[in-house]
Amino acid sequence: MMRTMTLRKLRASRRRGSSAASEDATGGTGSRDERKQRTRRALLDAALELMQGERSFSSVSLREVTRSAGVVPAAFYRHFSGMEELGLALVDDSFKTLRRSMREARAAALPATHLIRRSVETFLGYAHTHRHHFQFIAKERFGGSSVIRFAVRKEVHLFTSELATDLARFPLAGKISTEDLQMIAALVVQSVMMATEAFLDMAPNEPDDAAQLYQQTEKQLRLIFIGAQGWRSKPATRA
Amino acid sequence: MMRTMTLRKLRASRRRGSSAASEDATGGTGSRDERKQRTRRALLDAALELMQGERSFSSVSLREVTRSAGVVPAAFYRHFSGMEELGLALVDDSFKTLRRSMREARAAALPATHLIRRSVETFLGYAHTHRHHFQFIAKERFGGSSVIRFAVRKEVHLFTSELATDLARFPLAGKISTEDLQMIAALVVQSVMMATEAFLDMAPNEPDDAAQLYQQTEKQLRLIFIGAQGWRSKPATRA
DNA sequence: AATTTCAGTGAACAGTTGTTGACTTTCATT
DNA sequence: AATGAAAGTCAACAACTGTTCACTGAAATT
């Protein structure tokens, strides 16, 4: 709870100094709009960075964000009405990159059976290269403000729906109703997300735990597909 | 971000007034030790209450806690060294009540097949009557400080282990290694916790969604058991 | 009955927070 | 070249934060 540098000193060393501000975005070239988008991204990135490791989104302050974006607090309001709006923008960003990755993976023509493995692989790839985005999602899926929480859930739901339509292309999916496919997809997404989150904040010097986690998750997926194989949807009881 | 009552007025109306302080614990009868434990609980309860709905644990301030516990900030340090220690105490409390419930459920002699249903029922019962405790666990499982996060995970792991030993008593569990039982138990716990969390912060005026969620979760469990039925553990590849 | 122990008090501290209004400066339009 | 828009600055505000210290008063010990 102690800062070593006073506000004044920090601000004095800001212009092209960048000693403490990690994401300085002011200055530079480009059209007015480009420059604006740049500091907007600086704010988003700063917020994401600040929650790495120990903190939750709701514990990150507006001033902290502007500080490490290299901008004065008041400037924040030129981009967002408050932290909640920034949070929603982060949800958007995170899923935009995720969906892009998955769409590319899907684009490669599929031998059906390898499709799941490929999907899981690209998902893990996403989680690895965009780990900040993923960890943000993982945290805000349960914690924090309800509006952000629901935004995340809506996106996750959409994501599982896409997986469900992929599953429908499977040969042995004939006996399974679309509703049940959705339920199976939810189970898969759940497991993979959980495992990924656990994996990401594991101590990197304990590779044994990581291997064990990976094996367990693979087994879980296999068990789910065995279950799906034996599944028989009741003829939809609809009124 | 605006308080309607000034600090002075609030504090003036505190003694036996209890207009804003919901968990006033000072005064009353009992031995010294009893009185101490009472305000300790008041602090814990206040913290739990403050995070209901919108907030995460890390966004609740020490002063807020003492304020709604009806105690002066400095008194906090007679019980905890800081908010983190209080958080760990909350983890402990939450799982203590959960484990007590489950142990009782297990005590009733089991017709084996009904045991799972009974377990899920008591778990849901716990989540319903101790919803504050459960929601705390659900939030801090991913968000917030790592020491609390790991404390929660350790307890969840222990919990799934207990479920795994229960599963071992099942007739058709013969072909399954203990390691694989653990992995199946993890899958079950995961699904039930997820569903419960989703259920608890659903709008209470939308019973259709609740019913649909319940059905889906039941299906998921059934599918998992179908999978378990078809599961065949490889003869343990141990060195 | 005298003394120690200690949960809770009250006040002060330095620092941080969100939000505001009037300002400068720079780009894009007229 | 004059004019407008607007991204970012500066300074100030009231409120809140965690932590400290010497203190009080009542229960527990002697």
Side-chain angles (χ1 to χ4, degrees):
Chain A
M1 307 303 156
M2 281 252 173
R3 300 270 164 201
T4 48
M5 222 176 178
T6 75
L7 265 236
R8 302 226 147 274
K9 281 192 68 169
L10 195 154
R11 194 157 296 297
S13 75
R14 193 174 53 74
R15 283 263 164 219
R16 293 277 63 103
S18 85
S19 63
S22 41
E23 317 264 1
D24 201 322
T26 46
T29 54
S31 77
R32 189 125 97 181
D33 229 61
E34 284 172 330
R35 287 163 54 101
K36 175 163 186 181
Q37 292 308 317
R38 209 180 306 152
T39 80
R40 190 190 133 99
R41 292 193 74 88
L43 289 169
L44 291 166
D45 291 352
L48 224 45
E49 193 94 33
L50 281 166
M51 23 179 332
Q52 282 316 300
E54 291 299 279
R55 329 225 351 225
S56 66
F57 179 73
S58 57
S59 76
V60 173
S61 77
L62 186 151
R63 283 182 107 108
E64 276 180 304
V65 172
T66 60
R67 200 181 302 137
S68 69
V71 132
V72 99
F76 183 96
Y77 297 100
R78 304 282 180 206
H79 302 270
F80 307 102
S81 68
M83 282 298 283
E84 180 162 291
E85 199 171 294
L86 184 145
L88 289 175
L90 276 180
V91 176
D92 237 63
D93 262 32
S94 302
F95 278 97
K96 214 173 279 176
T97 54
L98 171 57
R99 263 202 298 277
R100 180 151 38 81
S101 302
M102 295 303 284
R103 212 179 312 126
E104 288 169 7
R106 235 186 304 273
L110 25 126
T113 322
H114 294 179
L115 177 131
I116 297 296
R117 181 176 291 269
R118 168 62 58 105
S119 290
V120 172
E121 273 170 8
T122 52
F123 182 85
L124 294 181
Y126 162 79
H128 183 253
T129 65
H130 301 83
R131 67 150 56 204
H132 289 192
H133 274 155
F134 179 82
Q135 289 191 299
F136 168 77
I137 289 172
K139 284 180 185 173
E140 297 312 308
R141 191 170 177 201
F142 297 99
S145 101
S146 65
V147 14
I148 293 183
R149 206 163 58 229
F150 283 117
V152 170
R153 268 181 213 178
K154 187 178 148 191
E155 296 278 6
V156 170
H157 184 80
L158 218 111
F159 181 75
T160 67
S161 290
E162 290 184 18
L163 175 61
T165 69
D166 277 5
L167 289 178
R169 293 203 160 285
F170 250 62
L172 51 84
K175 300 169 185 267
I176 306 178
S177 72
T178 42
E179 193 183 324
D180 288 356
L181 275 176
Q182 181 79 22
M183 151 259 175
I184 296 173
L187 199 51
V188 171
V189 169
Q190 209 178 286
S191 303
V192 174
M193 281 196 72
M194 283 279 205
T196 308
E197 163 58 13
F199 179 78
L200 281 187
D201 75 12
M202 254 176 37
N205 45 357
E206 287 285 5
D208 288 351
D209 293 354
Q212 206 252 327
L213 175 63
Y214 183 83
Q215 278 189 343
Q216 167 158 312
T217 309
E218 199 186 346
K219 280 185 180 177
Q220 287 179 339
L221 292 183
R222 220 158 64 216
L223 184 137
I224 291 173
F225 284 114
I226 293 177
Q229 216 159 334
W231 188 262
R232 173 72 183 90
S233 289
K234 287 181 185 158
T237 353
R238 188 134 294 160
Chain B
M1 309 298 156
M2 281 250 175
R3 298 270 165 202
T4 48
M5 222 176 178
T6 75
L7 264 234
R8 301 226 147 275
K9 280 192 69 170
L10 195 153
R11 194 156 297 294
S13 74
R14 192 174 51 77
R15 283 261 165 220
R16 295 274 65 104
S18 84
S19 63
S22 41
E23 318 264 2
D24 201 323
T26 46
T29 54
S31 75
R32 190 126 97 180
D33 228 63
E34 284 173 331
R35 285 162 57 98
K36 176 164 184 181
Q37 291 308 317
R38 210 181 304 152
T39 80
R40 190 190 132 100
R41 291 193 74 88
L43 289 169
L44 290 166
D45 290 352
L48 223 45
E49 192 95 31
L50 281 166
M51 15 177 342
Q52 283 314 301
E54 292 297 280
R55 331 223 353 225
S56 64
F57 180 72
S58 57
S59 76
V60 174
S61 76
L62 185 151
R63 283 182 107 108
E64 277 180 303
V65 172
T66 60
R67 200 181 302 138
S68 69
V71 132
V72 100
F76 183 97
Y77 297 100
R78 303 281 181 206
H79 302 269
F80 306 101
S81 69
M83 283 297 284
E84 180 161 292
E85 200 172 291
L86 184 146
L88 289 176
L90 276 180
V91 175
D92 236 62
D93 263 30
S94 303
F95 277 97
K96 215 173 279 177
T97 54
L98 171 57
R99 262 203 299 275
R100 180 151 38 82
S101 303
M102 296 302 284
R103 213 178 312 126
E104 288 169 9
R106 234 187 305 272
L110 24 127
T113 322
H114 294 180
L115 177 131
I116 297 297
R117 179 177 292 269
R118 167 62 56 106
S119 290
V120 172
E121 274 170 9
T122 51
F123 182 85
L124 294 181
Y126 163 79
H128 183 253
T129 64
H130 302 83
R131 66 152 54 205
H132 289 192
H133 275 154
F134 180 81
Q135 288 190 301
F136 169 76
I137 289 171
K139 284 181 183 172
E140 297 311 308
R141 192 170 176 200
F142 299 99
S145 102
S146 65
V147 14
I148 292 183
R149 205 163 57 229
F150 283 118
V152 170
R153 267 181 215 180
K154 187 178 148 192
E155 296 279 5
V156 170
H157 185 80
L158 218 110
F159 181 75
T160 66
S161 288
E162 291 184 17
L163 175 60
T165 70
D166 277 3
L167 289 178
R169 294 203 160 285
F170 249 62
L172 50 83
K175 301 169 185 269
I176 306 177
S177 71
T178 41
E179 193 184 326
D180 288 356
L181 275 175
Q182 181 80 21
M183 152 257 173
I184 295 173
L187 199 51
V188 171
V189 169
Q190 210 177 284
S191 302
V192 174
M193 282 197 70
M194 282 279 204
T196 307
E197 163 57 13
F199 178 79
L200 281 186
D201 76 11
M202 255 176 35
N205 45 356
E206 285 285 4
D208 288 350
D209 292 354
Q212 206 253 325
L213 175 63
Y214 183 81
Q215 279 188 343
Q216 166 157 314
T217 309
E218 200 185 346
K219 279 184 180 177
Q220 287 180 338
L221 291 183
R222 221 159 63 217
L223 185 137
I224 291 172
F225 284 113
I226 293 177
Q229 217 159 335
W231 188 262
R232 172 73 182 88
S233 289
K234 287 181 186 160
T237 353
R238 190 135 292 158

